[in-house]
Amino acid sequence: MMPPFSYQIIVAGTKSKAKGIQGQYPITQNVTVVEGATANMTCRVDYNDNTSLQWSNPAQQTLFFGDKKALRDHRIELVRASSQELTIRINDVSLSDEGLYTCSLFTMPVRTTKAFLTVLGVPGRPEITGFTKPAMEGDVVTLTCTTSGSKPAATIRWFRNDKEVQGTKEVNATGKSFTVRSSLQFQVDKRDDGVAYTCSVEHVSLSKPYMTTEVLEVHYAPHLEITHSLIIPQEGQYFKLECVSIGNPIPEPVEWSKDGGELPDIERMIVEGRELTITTLNKTDNGTYRCEASNHLGSSSAEYILFVYAKDFPGPTTDPNALGQHGPDHALIGGVVAVVVFITLCLIIVLGRYLARHKGTYLTHEAKGAEDAPDADTAIINAEGNHVHAEEKKEYFI
């Protein structure tokens, strides 16, 4: 498998400068490459008195002794050999090449330095499984994204259109590499129809993520609405109704009716697909218009109440047909009635209390003469006169 690109990371190892023969030590560097790329392994010494350098692999097999190739591996070749440097190249690096390599300087005693070769496993391109085409509204769908061959384990991210969503991750080792899976489980509805689900694989060996996308198709029952071309339909005008349908599969055919029956005037009432056109409105067009459509998951209908106004009608400030569809404001009417009843009850209570307090109150003219007399004698005389006419005494109630 060829990598998306090749690179080599050099990590400095332990270095020692020569201090005569006793202080000679080889200098190496750790190397990181992508699987399938090329790795250059270099060993240097600052001072050498013609002592040979040697490279060995993790299995302690000699690769090169000076400029002499010791292991028969066509992938390994000599780059440079001198008294102070031995550089070899490993082509088409595999995961099995990873490990600790040894550079030896054959002095007495032999001095060695290690260099670690790290090989990055390139993840395979992701695959999404679990798509049922089409899915039905209400179904539970599980989408699984899988990538294999990564080292270290790759990272998987999910996106619903452009928004990231969280999945459940599972990592399994396969030899020296890893297989990574991530799953999404959700219940679909009509809002998922046409949504793109993208699986993105990220890894240190990739310059940009690997991505794969699947578009979800959801079937759901229809829903219908009617739109109209005029707010104030008047006599003589051209008028159009459209039956707007939402559903998958698209609900069809659309059937129009008026007041529960067929359209009465097919010459003026023209049906074209989802549209009903009345070429010239008149008062006979008043009524309830209904459109119906269905798919294999169900059926739906919508109604529109048409009221045609006179040609010179100035028109209300709101859609009169909307009033027909929504009805009067019963809450407002109920509030007004409640206020009237409350005020009436208050008046009855106040009047009743007033009558109760003044019941039996009256005045008589029995001592009227005495009240008007200027002195006591006159008052007595007037009182006697009143006694004479006692039978004529009357009571006045207020």
Side-chain angles (χ1 to χ4, degrees):
M1 178 173 54
M2 294 300 293
F5 68 98
S6 300
Y7 68 92
Q8 176 170 298
I9 302 174
I10 307 297
V11 182
T14 304
K15 298 184 178 181
S16 299
K17 292 189 176 180
K19 296 180 180 179
I21 295 177
Q22 298 299 322
Q24 283 185 337
Y25 280 94
I27 302 169
T28 59
Q29 294 177 316
N30 296 331
V31 176
T32 300
V33 295
V34 175
E35 182 183 12
T38 298
N40 288 333
M41 309 291 294
T42 299
C43 180
R44 293 187 179 90
V45 290
D46 292 335
Y47 172 77
N48 190 4
D49 56 355
N50 293 323
T51 303
S52 297
L53 291 168
Q54 173 185 288
W55 271 114
S56 303
N57 65 14
Q60 294 304 310
Q61 297 171 316
T62 300
L63 303 178
F64 271 90
F65 183 81
D67 60 356
K68 303 293 190 297
K69 186 174 184 178
L71 186 66
R72 291 182 179 179
D73 189 336
H74 68 278
R75 299 178 304 123
I76 304 174
E77 58 187 20
L78 180 65
V79 176
R80 184 178 180 183
S82 68
S83 61
Q84 292 182 302
E85 179 184 339
L86 178 59
T87 300
I88 63 173
R89 177 181 296 128
I90 306 175
N91 296 305
D92 192 19
V93 175
S94 66
L95 296 179
S96 62
D97 292 322
E98 182 175 272
L100 202 60
Y101 287 73
T102 304
C103 177
S104 303
L105 176 64
F106 282 88
T107 58
M108 291 299 292
V110 176
R111 293 175 170 85
T112 61
T113 303
K114 306 290 186 178
F116 198 90
L117 174 62
T118 301
V119 181
L120 302 176
V122 181
R125 293 192 174 273
E127 295 182 358
I128 298 178
T129 58
F131 265 89
T132 302
K133 293 188 176 181
M136 302 298 172
E137 185 176 21
D139 286 353
V140 176
V141 173
T142 301
L143 305 182
T144 302
C145 180
T146 305
T147 180
S148 58
S150 60
K151 178 183 168 296
T155 299
I156 292 180
R157 299 170 65 191
W158 281 101
F159 294 89
R160 184 184 187 274
N161 290 335
D162 296 327
K163 183 179 180 181
E164 184 171 1
V165 291
Q166 296 300 318
T168 303
K169 185 179 179 180
E170 177 186 347
V171 180
N172 295 309
T174 307
K176 290 190 175 183
S177 64
F178 298 90
T179 297
V180 183
R181 294 182 179 86
S182 182
S183 299
L184 280 179
Q185 188 176 78
F186 55 93
Q187 186 175 37
V188 299
D189 60 28
K190 59 186 177 183
R191 293 173 296 180
D192 289 308
D193 187 37
V195 170
Y197 284 88
T198 299
C199 171
S200 173
V201 173
E202 299 176 357
H203 194 259
V204 65
S205 66
L206 303 176
S207 58
K208 60 181 181 179
Y210 283 158
M211 292 186 178
T212 186
T213 300
E214 294 283 353
V215 178
L216 186 61
E217 181 183 359
V218 180
H219 281 189
Y220 54 94
H223 173 74
L224 304 183
E225 293 181 358
I226 296 178
T227 62
H228 49 95
S229 60
L230 297 174
I231 295 178
I232 313 298
Q234 296 178 334
E235 289 181 300
Q237 289 183 323
Y238 178 93
F239 187 65
K240 179 185 291 186
L241 296 175
E242 182 178 359
C243 189
V244 180
S245 61
I246 301 173
N248 191 19
I250 297 174
E252 55 186 2
V254 174
E255 297 181 354
W256 286 95
S257 62
K258 178 177 183 274
D259 296 329
E262 296 182 355
L263 298 176
D265 191 344
I266 58 175
E267 293 184 358
R268 289 188 309 108
M269 299 178 177
I270 303 171
V271 176
E272 293 180 346
R274 302 178 181 279
E275 296 181 350
L276 168 61
T277 302
I278 304 176
T279 56
T280 307
L281 287 173
N282 60 50
K283 288 288 187 177
T284 63
D285 296 326
N286 291 343
T288 301
Y289 291 79
R290 179 186 180 93
C291 69
E292 296 181 76
S294 62
N295 60 21
H296 69 278
L297 294 174
S299 60
S300 180
S301 63
E303 292 184 347
Y304 177 81
I305 301 175
L306 174 62
F307 184 83
V308 180
Y309 288 82
K311 190 172 184 180
D312 56 350
F313 182 74
T317 57
T318 59
D319 185 356
N321 294 288
L323 293 177
Q325 294 178 16
H326 297 289
D329 193 337
H330 297 286
L332 179 60
I333 295 173
V336 172
V337 171
V339 171
V340 171
V341 170
F342 177 76
I343 294 173
T344 303
L345 290 174
C346 290
L347 291 175
I348 292 172
I349 292 170
V350 171
L351 182 59
R353 288 173 61 88
Y354 178 82
L355 292 175
R357 292 179 60 183
H358 292 80
K359 182 177 181 181
T361 302
Y362 61 93
L363 295 176
T364 69
H365 293 270
E366 183 175 338
K368 186 175 181 181
E371 292 174 355
D372 296 334
D375 50 39
D377 295 335
T378 306
I380 292 172
I381 296 171
N382 291 339
E384 291 177 353
N386 286 333
H387 280 290
V388 176
H389 302 285
E391 69 277 10
E392 297 178 3
K393 180 174 62 176
K394 297 181 180 179
E395 295 181 349
Y396 299 87
F397 286 86
I398 297 178

